[in-house]
Amino acid sequence: TMSTLRVDSIRGQTTDGVAKYVVQVVQGTKYGTADVTSTSMVASGLSVNITPKFSTSKMLVTCTFVSDLSAGGRQMYATIFRDSTRLDTQTGLGGNASSNGFHTNYSTARIIFDGSMQFLDSPSTSSTITYEAYLRSVTGGNVSFNAQNCLGRIVVEEIAQ
């Protein structure tokens, strides 16, 4: 048995606070490893551009990747930047640690594992913006983002307010 749904009209929600909805979704992908020894944040090459439809929209940014600490005694921090703005809360280790980004714990052996980060951003613009994953080594030893030539993915969902 099939059902039929009939409506008089379908229209988007407005900024009256009644309901939020996803306006658009964009995705960036990257194969290939970014090896980093820098103790400062470095661009990973995994990025995506989006031009918001509304300056009042929020952006839900989700990033998935594979990390490799290469050897024992290493630790990595990663976060997302909107253009030149770092999205995580910089706390600990002189403001270089990420309290809501991605970080690995110190290990005595090599570790390869899946990682993910998610942020709800309010860019307050309708101009094109770029979201990109950044990382750094805590100890200066080699760490790898998007390791093993796996597919890294960054997805941005624009949510109307």
Side-chain angles (χ1 to χ4, degrees):
T1 303
M2 293 188 59
S3 299
T4 302
L5 174 63
R6 296 172 200 253
V7 296
D8 292 328
S9 67
I10 296 177
R11 58 188 169 103
Q13 299 294 324
T14 61
T15 59
D16 62 7
V18 172
K20 313 300 184 218
Y21 64 100
V22 175
V23 176
Q24 63 175 317
V25 178
V26 294
Q27 172 182 268
T29 59
K30 181 180 185 291
Y31 280 104
T33 302
D35 292 318
V36 172
T37 57
S38 174
T39 56
S40 298
M41 286 290 181
V42 175
S44 71
L46 177 58
S47 66
V48 66
N49 295 325
I50 187 168
T51 303
K53 302 289 186 201
F54 309 106
S55 63
T56 55
S57 292
K58 292 189 183 290
M59 303 293 171
L60 182 60
V61 184
T62 305
C63 181
T64 58
F65 52 93
V66 173
S67 292
D68 184 349
L69 296 186
S70 303
R74 301 191 181 172
Q75 194 174 9
M76 179 183 82
Y77 289 101
T79 190
I80 302 290
F81 275 68
R82 176 194 356 102
D83 297 326
S84 62
T85 301
R86 186 173 168 169
L87 298 185
D88 66 327
T89 304
Q90 302 168 42
T91 59
L93 295 178
N96 289 314
S98 176
S99 66
N100 57 348
F102 175 84
H103 66 275
T104 62
N105 291 325
Y106 181 86
S107 175
T108 57
R110 179 181 186 184
I111 301 176
I112 300 171
F113 51 90
D114 293 330
S116 65
M117 301 179 279
Q118 190 171 63
F119 295 94
L120 184 61
D121 187 31
S122 301
S124 301
T125 186
S126 56
S127 298
T128 300
I129 50 181
T130 301
Y131 288 98
E132 184 168 8
Y134 277 67
L135 70 147
R136 77 177 196 86
S137 172
V138 174
T139 61
N142 186 68
V143 295
S144 299
F145 182 89
N146 221 32
Q148 307 296 312
N149 288 316
C150 290
L151 177 67
R153 184 179 319 269
I154 186 167
V155 177
V156 180
E157 299 171 62
E158 179 180 358
I159 304 168
Q161 302 300 295

